[in-house]
Amino acid sequence: MSPKKTTLKPAKNVPASKKSPPDPGYLRGVASWKEAAQFLRARGIEDIECITPDLAGVPRGKMMPSSKFTSNTSLALPSAIYRHTISGEYPEETESFRYEPRDSDLKLVPDLSTLSVVPWETDPTAQVICDVVSADGQEVPYTPRNVLKQVLKLYHDRGWKPVVAPEIEFYLVAKNDDPDYPLHPPKGRSGRAILGGQGYSIAGINEFDELIDDIYHFSEKQGLEIDTLIHEEGPAQLEINLRHGNPIELADQVFMFKRTIREAAMKHGIYATFMAKPMQGQAGSAMHIHQSVIHEDTGKNVFSNPDGSPSREFFHFIGGMQKYVPSALCMLAPYVNSYRRLTPDMSCPVNNAWGYDNRTTAFRVPVSDPQARRVENRLPSSDANPYLALAASLACGLLGIMKEIEPTAPTEDSANEGSIDLPRGLLEAVALMEDEPAFEEVFGREFIGLYAGVKRGEFETFMQVISPWEREFLLLNV
């Protein structure tokens, strides 16, 4: 994707006619190394963070003086960072999960369209998201940004372009230094901890006015645009909706938003968590993904016929989601904790059904005009790597179009009343991913083997931990 330069709206209370040239503090991205040097110089930037997401979506990379960055210094990371678990351990090798024998370097290539300031740092600092290539300059196929790019290429080959809009839920929680103790909601401006049942409550948002102001301020300084922010059902559970757009750009935004929200929360002495199920008995946190597909040449929605009716591609996309998403679930729900959210009666679909404006289904078709016709995937959890979640969701829909898979009839009533149609745990989900031959077409064998190996390693680490439930019910009863 070629870098491009974008600007946000003028600062509040300043007429646009008096804002020429734009305030350089509100720019994101440049088109060349020359513009990058000007960007850094205009802001007095001393350091720059060159970051890239690992398999978990955690920022990895290097920090350097801005003078070294603009001299086009070669940046490298060991290949092993894509083979360790979320707890930093390295799984045993298997037939499909292998380590690079020399642990050779992978090169970081800055995507200058993502260059922005780091507004929470005290010293002037900038950041840039990097792509990952091998020593010979070839894209490394198993890195998250490249996995998503490969799926987008399959759409491009058909003359299409996906459009997505993520919705990210998260909890604010009181600081917790001991992981053995449960999490609790923090105190708001009233001095009391907020309770649940505050869905869409303005008063619930106002409890954290100053923190939310910092989220907006930090986002604006980075060129990140929030569409809406609401209070969700859980205590101090919030949701941020992003404007629809290019999947790579939106994955980058989710990647940066997670970091931004955590930093804003810590400034106020609390934590922000994107765990799928951080508190027992409370709703989990999702990352719903709205998806449509447009023609690259005309911009018209592939999901709608010229007369405004739904197209064959629309129904085949849904059919692909129904058939393949259960086998890709470990990319949408990547941890043991993720499956605690996917349980009945917890405001979360546990099926592979679809329906019109039906929030109990996994795949909801919102009410819209034909040009905005889209499919919302309600299964991903907020702990998912946004690049991999988008790649998995879009790939499943595309496979449905490629293989002309017909969906079931739309569900008219609640879809959560029958049996659970999804994997109940991480190991089952990983096995389903490995057993689906169509995934090699869209993700590649190397990524599937590597990802499955890391997930199995994380499960084995989890199994070494004795839970409070075991101590409570097994200690004296068995």
Side-chain angles (χ1 to χ4, degrees), residues 71 173 291 449 453:
S71 65
V173 297
Q291 310 156 98

Side-chain angles (χ1 to χ4, degrees), residues 6 13 19 35 51 74 105 115 126 140 142-143 161 212 227-228 261 275-276 298 331 366 398 401 415 425 437 449:
T6 58
N13 304 321
K19 287 285 297 175
E35 288 189 13
I51 58 176
S74 178
D105 276 344
L115 182 64
V140 178
Y142 54 76
T143 62
K161 183 165 57 176
I212 290 169
D227 193 18
T228 59
I261 292 165
M275 281 179 64
T298 66
M331 295 171 68
L398 182 60
I401 294 174

Side-chain angles (χ1 to χ4, degrees), residues 36-309:
Q38 294 170 344
F39 180 102
L40 301 174
R41 193 163 50 245
R43 294 157 183 77
I45 298 296
E46 299 173 2
D47 301 305
I48 186 159
E49 300 170 349
C50 300
I51 58 176
T52 195
D54 67 4
L55 287 187
V58 174
R60 306 284 177 182
K62 294 184 176 182
M63 178 179 281
M64 64 175 59
S66 57
S67 58
K68 284 198 69 177
F69 176 75
T70 52
S71 65
N72 205 10
T73 299
S74 178
L75 299 166
L77 292 176
S79 61
I81 70 164
Y82 291 101
R83 290 168 171 82
H84 65 63
T85 66
I86 190 65
S87 56
E89 295 166 318
Y90 293 89
E92 295 291 329
E93 285 191 330
T94 64
E95 183 178 344
S96 58
F97 175 79
R98 313 295 295 180
Y99 291 96
E100 207 281 327
R102 298 173 299 164
D103 193 15
S104 301
D105 276 344
L106 302 176
K107 295 177 66 176
L108 296 178
V109 179
D111 180 344
L112 297 180
S113 70
T114 67
L115 182 64
S116 67
V117 299
V118 183
W120 51 82
E121 290 286 357
T122 53
D123 295 329
T125 305
Q127 60 194 339
V128 66
I129 299 174
C130 299
D131 284 312
V132 180
V133 301
S134 58
D136 60 3
Q138 298 297 310
E139 288 189 345
V140 178
Y142 54 76
T143 62
R145 217 166 181 251
N146 288 340
V147 171
L148 178 54
K149 284 185 175 184
Q150 170 58 25
V151 172
L152 298 184
K153 182 180 182 301
L154 296 175
Y155 279 90
H156 174 72
D157 291 344
R158 290 174 166 256
W160 295 345
K161 183 165 57 176
V163 178
V164 299
E167 302 171 346
I168 315 133
E169 297 172 348
F170 61 96
Y171 273 90
L172 301 174
V173 297
K175 277 195 171 180
N176 184 311
D177 297 328
D178 191 334
D180 275 343
Y181 286 89
L183 299 173
H184 298 284
K187 293 179 180 179
R189 66 175 185 172
S190 66
R192 303 179 68 179
I194 195 168
L195 301 176
Q198 299 290 321
Y200 293 92
S201 165
I202 298 300
I205 292 177
N206 290 342
E207 281 287 302
F208 304 100
D209 261 349
E210 292 186 2
L211 188 157
I212 290 169
D213 283 346
D214 279 335
I215 291 175
Y216 279 125
H217 174 70
F218 287 168
S219 299
E220 194 173 26
K221 285 290 186 181
Q222 296 172 89
L224 303 174
E225 188 173 3
I226 297 171
D227 193 18
T228 59
L229 187 147
I230 65 169
H231 196 289
E232 266 291 350
E233 284 298 318
Q237 185 188 30
L238 305 180
E239 175 184 290
I240 281 181
N241 299 334
L242 306 183
R243 294 287 299 274
H244 62 272
N246 176 286
I248 286 287
E249 294 177 5
L250 268 298
D252 286 343
Q253 287 196 43
V254 175
F255 178 55
M256 299 308 300
F257 265 122
K258 284 187 172 185
R259 191 178 185 213
T260 298
I261 292 165
R262 287 193 191 99
E263 291 289 343
M266 283 196 283
K267 179 181 174 183
H268 292 267
I270 60 180
Y271 292 153
T273 179
F274 295 87
M275 281 179 64
K277 186 77 168 180
M279 287 190 275
Q280 183 174 320
Q282 299 293 344
S285 289
M287 182 174 65
H288 299 154
I289 302 171
H290 291 253
Q291 310 156 98
S292 60
V293 182
I294 62 173
H295 292 278
E296 287 185 327
D297 53 351
T298 66
K300 292 184 177 179
N301 194 332
V302 173
F303 290 167
S304 296
N305 292 318
D307 65 0
S309 61

Side-chain angles (χ1 to χ4, degrees), residues 71 342 475:
S71 65
L342 296 171
L475 182 67

Side-chain angles (χ1 to χ4, degrees), residues 290 314 354-361 363-368 374-376 378 410-414:
H290 291 253
F314 169 73
W354 77 280
Y356 294 101
D357 199 21
N358 187 339
R359 284 186 169 83
T360 70
T361 61
F363 313 118
R364 169 179 171 258
V365 178
V367 177
S368 69
R374 61 195 185 275
V375 180
E376 178 191 13
R378 297 178 58 79
T411 300
E412 301 291 342
D413 299 315
S414 174

Side-chain angles (χ1 to χ4, degrees), residues 347-421:
S347 303
C348 176
V350 289
N351 53 71
N352 68 337
W354 77 280
Y356 294 101
D357 199 21
N358 187 339
R359 284 186 169 83
T360 70
T361 61
F363 313 118
R364 169 179 171 258
V365 178
V367 177
S368 69
D369 60 48
Q371 182 56 25
R373 181 172 278 120
R374 61 195 185 275
V375 180
E376 178 191 13
N377 184 353
R378 297 178 58 79
L379 289 177
S381 48
S382 62
D383 56 1
N385 180 323
Y387 301 91
L388 299 183
L390 287 172
S393 194
L394 291 171
C396 291
L398 182 60
L399 284 170
I401 294 174
M402 293 165 61
K403 300 178 186 299
E404 299 185 350
I405 297 172
E406 296 293 338
T408 63
T411 300
E412 301 291 342
D413 299 315
S414 174
N416 266 356
E417 306 233 337
S419 60
I420 296 177
D421 302 318

